[in-house]
Amino acid sequence: MKKTAILFTVLLSVLQQMKSQNPVVQALLDDVRLDSLTNYVKQLSGEKSVVINGVTDTIKSRHYQNPGNEKAFQFMKQEFIRHGYQIDSMQFSAMGKNLFAIKTGYKYPNRRFMLGAHYDNLPLTTVAPGADDNASGSATVLEAGRVFSNYNFPYTIVFALWDEEEPGLLGSIAYVPTIGSDNDTLLGYVNVDMLGWDSNNDSIADINVRPYGNSLALSSRAQLCNTIYNIKLGLHVVNPGSAATDHAPFWNNNYTAIGIDEEYDNDFNPMWHTPNDVLANFNLSFYQKCAKLAYATIADCARDTINTVGIKEIYKNNLQVKIYPNPFTEKIIVSAEKQNQPISKVILSDCTGRVIFEKQITNAYQEISIQNNLNAGLYFLEVISPNGSFTKKIIKE
Ligand SMILES: [Zn+2]
């Protein structure tokens, strides 16, 4: 959301619902297992052997120029297939290959949330465990594959594993311009890169965010999830967040994205990019909390019409307004895109023309909330501004 955006909120249902646990998300979080997470870290960092296509092997490095990189790709692909996912991949350079595992939404298959991590690593030595950077994130995505497979979501969820992050975010940079080419809309992306290090045991994680797309709203959602699902991380919101990992290409193309990571600024892992980046250095309780926060954020978004979705609509006199999400379940937001085009009034009517809600706007920044348990169906939202007006069909589910 732009800093100049004028935002007000029309809550058409009980606001308190937004602050309560979703039982499906809570059940999913209860399924997360630390031993499963660490087992994946061990397998990806060479501490434990893997069986790939029936052959026992060890991933000694995931550096993009090391044969272990392809082994890691095959291992992760195999895990997602085992958990019933549809697989896609993207070859973007001679050696570079992104992996995608897709869980198609039962209601909005073309609207996606995405959780991703890079799987390549450093240094370029024969043995490069890269446990924190970024087997921790890759294992988080793999464990998500196991846990999420037991639940269905109205929105599509895509698990992404990026290659060639270390030489310059090459995998995610190659991917982002392809978003929408298959008529899919990306509603939000959560990146995880380094989740294992918390040397002072303060349980503080960073949320890296910048004001692109609806990233600030997604950051707020993650913070809310930390509270309502009792994850017990301390959260340090970094804005402008680090551009040194795979959420950055999403921001650069105005998509909604955040990065959940250990503290890059105050408590950085000194073993980073060395052969000593191993699981033994992890703060395991912190690691599990970070993984849970990533899952809670994605699952809570994908269960619910979270307001990270927005479609810009241009109407009379170039009035630019976003009305989202539509269809909606709990609340709908009307947002003017330009400060010099304030909205002066909104009127909500049912399909017989009966006015259900009407609000004069005197302060562009005010937030309006009403409690109104609308029945499912078609409604009309009229937006009036000094520059013109329009009426939009909206659907309550
Ligand atoms: Zn990394």
Side-chain angles (χ1 to χ4, degrees), residues 114-383:
M114 193 176 226
L115 172 66
H118 76 87
Y119 69 93
D120 67 308
N121 75 350
L122 281 172
L124 181 50
T125 44
T126 316
V127 174
D132 190 24
D133 187 10
N134 185 28
S136 66
S138 303
T140 296
V141 176
L142 287 178
E143 172 70 353
R146 185 185 73 79
V147 171
F148 280 65
S149 66
N150 298 320
Y151 301 91
N152 283 319
F153 297 85
Y155 291 84
T156 290
I157 299 175
V158 179
F159 300 113
L161 288 148
W162 312 114
D163 198 5
E164 299 191 6
E165 186 266 358
E166 299 293 1
L169 322 183
L170 302 185
S172 53
I173 285 174
Y175 168 73
V176 169
T178 71
I179 296 172
S181 59
D182 48 5
N183 287 325
D184 286 348
T185 305
L186 179 72
L187 305 185
Y189 173 65
V190 175
N191 191 66
V192 282
D193 190 357
M194 303 175 72
L195 306 175
W197 183 261
D198 181 20
S199 66
N200 55 14
N201 206 29
D202 62 5
S203 288
I204 294 177
D206 285 349
I207 296 182
N208 284 283
V209 66
R210 292 190 182 201
Y212 297 109
N214 292 310
S215 301
L216 294 172
L218 186 58
S219 166
S220 299
R221 187 69 169 213
Q223 293 168 72
L224 189 62
C225 283
N226 183 52
T227 304
I228 63 180
Y229 297 108
N230 205 21
I231 294 169
K232 296 186 175 162
L233 279 169
L235 292 176
H236 178 203
V237 177
V238 186
N239 179 11
S242 168
T245 181
D246 294 301
H247 44 246
F250 290 85
W251 292 337
N252 295 342
N253 289 273
N254 214 32
Y255 287 107
T256 296
I258 59 169
I260 297 172
D261 313 287
E262 65 198 34
E263 278 192 287
Y264 288 163
D265 40 6
N266 299 321
D267 188 13
F268 193 75
N269 185 346
M271 310 301 175
W272 175 70
H273 291 178
T274 76
N276 299 319
D277 179 8
V278 294
L279 178 64
N281 300 324
F282 278 31
N283 181 324
L284 294 175
S285 148
F286 175 75
Y287 178 39
Q288 186 175 22
K289 288 175 190 172
C290 289
K292 281 190 173 185
L293 181 64
Y295 302 160
T297 305
I298 289 289
D300 211 50
C301 288
R303 282 297 307 171
D304 175 17
T305 43
I306 182 200
N307 305 302
T308 50
V309 41
I311 296 166
K312 186 179 289 181
E313 315 218 12
I314 301 172
Y315 294 91
K316 288 178 200 169
N317 301 321
N318 207 29
L319 176 64
Q320 292 187 21
V321 174
K322 279 203 280 190
I323 298 175
Y324 61 97
N326 186 20
F328 67 99
T329 54
E330 288 175 349
K331 71 173 178 179
I332 190 155
I333 292 177
V334 182
S335 165
E337 288 285 280
K338 292 187 176 174
Q339 200 156 18
N340 61 0
Q341 296 179 343
I343 295 168
S344 50
K345 195 174 189 180
V346 290
I347 302 170
L348 182 76
S349 311
D350 67 15
C351 55
T352 69
R354 184 171 65 95
V355 173
I356 294 167
F357 173 73
E358 186 170 354
K359 185 77 186 180
Q360 198 86 33
I361 311 300
T362 51
N363 172 358
Y365 292 95
Q366 84 182 102
E367 186 167 284
I368 308 158
S369 67
I370 57 166
Q371 295 194 353
N372 193 334
N373 292 317
L374 291 177
N375 294 323
L378 177 66
Y379 295 85
F380 296 90
L381 185 64
E382 187 177 2
V383 177

Side-chain angles (χ1 to χ4, degrees), residues 66-86:
N66 188 295
N69 179 277
E70 173 65 15
K71 290 177 188 175
F73 179 96
Q74 293 300 336
F75 169 68
M76 296 187 298
K77 178 179 170 181
Q78 176 185 283
E79 284 303 299
F80 279 114
I81 289 172
R82 189 162 73 85
H83 289 116
Y85 288 85
Q86 179 194 338

